Amino acid sequence: MPAVSKGDGMRGLAVFISDIRNCKSKEAEIKRINKELANIRSKFKGDKALDGYSKKKYVCKLLFIFLLGHDIDFGHMEAVNLLSSNKYTEKQIGYLFISVLVNSNSELIRLINNAIKNDLSSRNPTFMCLALHCIANVGSREMAEAFAGEIPRILVAGDTMDSVKQSAALCLLRLYKTSPDLVLMGEWTSRVVHLLNDQHMGVVTAAISLITCLSQKNPDEFKTCVSLAVSRLSRIVSSASTDLQDYTYYFVPAPWLSCKLLRLLQCYPPPEDGAVKGRLVECLETILNKAQEPPKSKKVQHSNAKNAILFEAISLIIHYDSEPNLLVRACNQLGQFLQHRETNLRYLALESMCTLASSEFSHEAVKTHIETVINALKTERDVSVRQRAADLLYAMCDRSNAKQIVAEMLSYLETADYSIREEMVLKVAILAEKYAVDYSWYVDTILNLIRIAGDYVSEEVWYRVIQIVINRDDVQGYAAKTVFEALQAPACHENMVKVGGYILGEFGNLIAGDPRSSPLVQFNLLHSKFHLCSVPTRALLLSAYIKFINLFPETKSTIQEVLRSDSQIRNSDVELQQRAVEYLKLSSIASTDVLATVLEEMPPFPERESSILAKLKKKKGPGAVSVNELEEGKREGGELNGGGGERGGDNSTIAASNASTPSPSADLLGLRTGPQVSAAPPSAGSLLVDVFSEAGVNDDGFLSSAPPSAVSEDAAPPLPESNELLNKFVCKNNGVLFENQLLQIGIKSEYRQNLGRMYLFYGNKTSVQFVTFTTTVSCPGELQSQLNVQAKPVEPLIEGGAQVQQVINIECLGDFCEAPLLNIKFRYGGALQNLSLKLPVTINKFFQPTEMASHDFFQRWKQLSQPQQEAQKIFKASHAMDTEVIKAKLLGLGMALLENVDPNPENFVCAGVIQTKAQQVGSLLRLEPNAQAQMYRLTLRSSKDTVSKRLCELLAEQF
Amino acid sequence: MIGGLFIYNHKGEVLISRVYRDDIGRNAVDAFRVNVIHARQQVRSPVTNIARTSFFHVKRSNIWLAAVTKQNVNAAMVFEFLYKMCDVMTAYFGKISEENIKNNFVLIYELLDEILDFGYPQNSETGALKTFITQQGIKGQTKEEQSQITSQVTGQIGWRREGIKYRRNELFLDVLESVNLLMSPQGQVLSAHVSGRVVMKSYLSGMPECKFGMNDKIVIDKQGKGGTTDDAGKSGKQSIAIDDCTFHQCVRLSKFDSERSISFIPPDGEYELMRYRTTKDIILPFRVIPLVREVGRTKLEVKVVIKSNFKPSLLAQKIEVRIPTPLNTSGVQVICMKGKAKYKASENAIVWKIKRMAGMKESQISAEIELLPTNDKKKWARPPISMNFEVPFAPSGLKVRYLKVFESKLNYSDHDVIKWVRYIGRSGIYETRC
């Protein structure tokens, strides 16, 4: 916009503004403004007509007063009058006032729209631009309604001036962003794509923003833009820096346009046409080459523009992830930036490398920079850069460098910023566990972790150590020794005391031979920490003491003395008191045999192994499958402290490790859920074994060589427990679907007839944001024709601690058995997380309850008497047989619970109709509990055999 | 206890910053500026809590005085201290303005060191402070003088030194009252109270013992019982009920509690002897009768009559009536019989000023206000008409009955002291709804 020229300058306005600026206090300012307002009011009174100039001046003053934060409730009419002026400055001020001050529900909106319409249809490009700017600035729904049809016409009309086209494109983008439903695609869309060929670079730049936004919604309609964009890009890239004249910025040709083109290309997969692809690769190579050239200018703007293009190109390369050559080159280029003087460049390089590390082609290349990254972690001054470096280390870690990386991260942890410690601890724990070959190393690492950053170590981490130590005989002695040594430090963290208490209580005998760690010394060491600990830890220590009595009878009297002391036996805490009393009695009454039985060593956590894994293990010997073993160990998490309370926590560890370990091990585990593995035909079980055993033989590290996130782009197989999760939701519509350390997914759903709506709430439980958060809902196999599931897109960014919502619309087309799959992918601190769940959509959700009388019921019951229409199951009750609970569950199922129908009042009968789009399936249910035998007989009859079967399956799990 | 004390100018720049306790960090200075001085809202609470730190502030012209604390202090004490601090500064260098504060910053720091110790308020009596904090640099004080100051400051009567001598023993007594009123358009009193102060200026020799008497209802009733019935009936009418009062530290509170007599050894120079508040039987000096008529959407007619309601022999001064106008006023015509009236756009009000007005008179103003039609549906809130004035009597009805001076050591008696008594009644918030 041209500045108001001096000759046209509004002196009154200038004086007023300088008066305001000179006011000494707020009060003086308010006085001056009140005076001015009164003056303007008297001028606007309407007795005498004002000329355009004074009108403009006063509207300007009002605008200024408004911007100072005062309410303005008059002058709108005058501003609207200005719109119809023929002078540019007057019109401009009018539009300015309106875009700032007029709210959408004003009655003036009709007048304004009229004025805008006039300007749009005028031939004057300046006026058209002003009108377009006003629409874009207001951007309200009303504006969109009024002009959404008009603007595309202006945009693609042949005789429109370039500057107007530019404004129209941006205006349309704004309207599309505010109300996408009003901007309808039409024949103009194809012509918009051709704006990429426009002579005028400004138009291209504006159009590309619009296209990028539109193509995200309708990628197919804009597919043609890829080749156009590539050719445009190649023209820019190959041009000499002087060719583009106005669009050359510090010797870089059209940097903004290039960045936007590259970003547009990131919306699409690599072009299939060989020629186009070749040209694009050439472009990318040129960009990489240019980065190597010496800079043409020392100015920072030059390097900024150049690097902007380069980084955009690299993210395109990463997006394609198909050109090993380019990926490696990009990686090398980034490697150079790692040592650059500019902090911002180092940050960006680390961030991009994080994504490169997850590509199988460039993982090795990234690994060559490990020294530099470690150095950055140690010496970098900027905390955000250090954080990125830590992320990158985590992402590039694999079996070969795990020891080094974990050691570096541990040493960094001592000086790390408090804000990132928790995250670092989690990362170290995950890495140490994932790549542990040598268990003494693992134990050392975790104990070190607790020593260095005890406050940040979550419960799960130390549960894990104990599980592993208990399950592995070979490290028990070592662990006991290490723990004993660690406890000798004058001040240790409470978590350390917990681990120490547990391990010495179990395996203290293994080191008791050494006089330096004789039983009494061990006990005294533990007890010296006792008084500094919280109640749960003390309870754990008391348990350890009673185990000592069993392990070392010679300590009995000392320990009994301790238990008998007032501070234990009369402790105000009930738990401690009870333990003290019980253990004291136990130790004094029970014979040694009884004691030995009661206080026997904890059994190893059972490993529920699949036969495939067992075979694999036999072939390779222990150690090679350690990852699986770890996973296995985790699965059994809960039993640890004999307390059911910890179960929930451990479950989340499983989930976390699964989520963060989309490695082959997850694949293997996924096998157990059966048909999801597409690699092998699910029926040929024996064949499957061969496949895996061979893989084990041929490839020393089937488990280790494949980088951790090689499968990242594919959806992870559904979590093994997802079936259980599904069952949880058969009889209810709301609840928590899934939870691990990072993410919580809540669910709320409602169903009517054959339609359903589901709200998913994704909550970020960490303090770090999740980026590129995407979810996809898919219907595997024939479910596609049975269920129509539409998920609204979800925000790609979840701030730490924030929650986002996703709406899923479901339409039931026909009856179905499977559940749709929900795949969630996001980056947490640089590492890709990938997990799949089953959405709890089951056939019973589409039930409509039907009330009927007794004889009606039995009449229908008889009608459905064909054998395939009935499904029956007799099963043992897995929950208490409480009538009210059963009733609630049956109601939750969706059917109508019919009272006084069955002659036996103990029995439950229900009736309902399943509404699908294709047909309605009437279903009847009869549930006969047998309280003596704790058994149920469940009978289902419905007009369709698959429905009866499925319902029977679903329901049998509920009681 | 007060953790720190800051003085800001109107822009929020710190002029004086004195921190007494470690729990107040430097960032407290900025917190107050950002959250209070630069805050957008017009009405600010005198106490602001930011991040568990309490800020108590008072404003004098363009200067902000803020006391900061992290503890749960007695807020009244802090404000009392801040007011005292303002008084002390005024006594030292006149008006509290940015320039004066900048010119006297050394003095202010010295004062702050003296009147607050680790956040606990100390002697803040101007007279006493002036003996040892001076602007003339270090005077060649003899050892005796120094020890005298020490013994005075630490002694029982910290507010007066010994050995004061005047040729003429004189005493000035001012009763200053401000009357607050809120009245309905129909003339019904919605709330009214008088807050008054008794300010003394004493130039007396030696260590005189003074006794102050006024027409306090309790005292009069007590005496009435002892005296004749005729006397009691007569004075009973004129006695006033005091709701609450506070005294200068020189007044012996024990004597007031037991006998309700006010006796004291006065400081030298000017000081405030007592403060009080009354709510019953207030003489309202003026009555405002408003009449507002809306003529259509674009016109408003206002007529206001004021009546003076006191003895015709007395003269009220500096009368000012402020009639608020709607926010969309575009023009005003005023006619008044007495004084001058003007529409002040900057204050959104018609201001009517009368220099002098005798008792039992009335005067009238009428105005025509033109309005600009707005698209805003909000109705005008009709703020009350306010008034300012000064009258030469005490609206509460307080009368000074006696002030006796006894000085046993020196050779002058009560009769030799020249005494001056003056009553001034001012308007506080004196509003009538319209």
Side-chain angles (χ1 to χ4, degrees), chain A residues 393-458:
Chain A
L393 275 186
Y394 176 69
M396 68 162 71
C397 189
D398 62 19
R399 183 146 303 193
S400 65
N401 54 17
K403 268 196 182 169
Q404 186 191 7
I405 286 180
V406 168
E408 289 299 342
M409 283 175 113
L410 265 181
S411 71
Y412 172 60
L413 201 54
E414 284 182 82
T415 52
D417 304 86
Y418 293 100
S419 52
I420 61 168
R421 279 199 185 182
E422 189 179 354
E423 201 193 328
M424 291 281 294
V425 165
L426 215 62
K427 281 181 172 161
V428 171
I430 290 173
L431 287 180
E433 187 174 329
K434 195 153 60 167
Y435 300 114
V437 191
D438 173 6
Y439 277 99
S440 52
W441 173 73
Y442 173 75
V443 170
D444 274 345
T445 308
I446 299 295
L447 288 183
N448 253 336
L449 194 65
I450 295 175
R451 188 176 54 76
I452 293 167
D455 285 339
Y456 302 92
V457 173
S458 55

Side-chain angles (χ1 to χ4, degrees), chain B residues 14 81 90 147 151 233 241 253 370 381 404 423:
Chain B
V14 191
F81 171 78
T90 324
S147 67
S151 71
L253 292 177
E370 280 175 75
K404 293 176 192 149
Y423 299 94

Side-chain angles (χ1 to χ4, degrees), chain A residues 761-791:
Chain A
F761 299 91
Y762 303 99
N764 181 347
K765 288 171 71 180
T766 66
S767 51
V768 186
Q769 62 183 26
F770 294 162
V771 291
T772 60
F773 188 90
T774 50
T775 63
T776 42
V777 179
S778 57
C779 298
E782 59 177 357
L783 190 58
Q784 221 155 7
S785 58
Q786 293 161 342
L787 207 61
N788 183 6
V789 184
Q790 275 175 338

